[in-house]
Amino acid sequence: MQAPNGFKVELIELKNSTREHRFTDPLNAASVQGYGHMALIVKDLHTVFNELINNGALQIIPISPAVKKGDIYAYVKNLEGNLIELIQNGR
């Protein structure tokens, strides 16, 4: 994935790789050292969330108010089982 400003995220999957632990939610992911989830700031959380769900992602935490007033967030799990946090900053 690469943004117009050049910011790039690269995710690599090795053939026949296995996952040592399957995370069920953000607190479960924080219970072990290492990668637990990635967070992405998006401009339109509702659109991104619905697009991900419509393409096979699993809802883990629905769109909800975040700790920072005005922000909203949600968690999904992609087809590979990775937790992804989506954040929309308040306006």
Side-chain angles (χ1 to χ4, degrees):
M1 297 181 286
Q2 185 164 357
N5 66 1
F7 177 79
K8 183 176 182 180
V9 174
E10 181 178 59
L11 304 173
I12 299 172
E13 177 184 0
L14 297 174
K15 184 178 180 179
N16 298 321
S17 65
T18 60
R19 181 175 301 276
E20 214 172 289
H21 187 81
R22 292 208 176 266
F23 304 118
T24 56
D25 59 56
L27 291 177
N28 177 247
S31 69
V32 297
Q33 294 181 350
Y35 167 80
H37 79 281
M38 62 184 284
L40 301 172
I41 296 175
V42 298
K43 289 184 180 181
D44 184 347
L45 177 55
H46 289 86
T47 298
V48 172
F49 181 82
N50 289 328
E51 186 172 336
L52 289 171
I53 297 300
N54 290 336
N55 283 286
L58 178 65
Q59 174 183 291
I60 300 300
I61 296 178
I63 297 172
S64 305
V67 173
K68 183 178 175 190
K69 187 175 181 176
D71 288 2
I72 55 175
Y73 79 106
Y75 272 86
V76 299
K77 187 183 286 190
N78 70 6
L79 298 174
E80 290 80 31
N82 300 302
L83 287 174
I84 302 171
E85 179 181 11
L86 304 167
I87 305 164
Q88 179 179 319
N89 293 323
R91 298 191 162 114

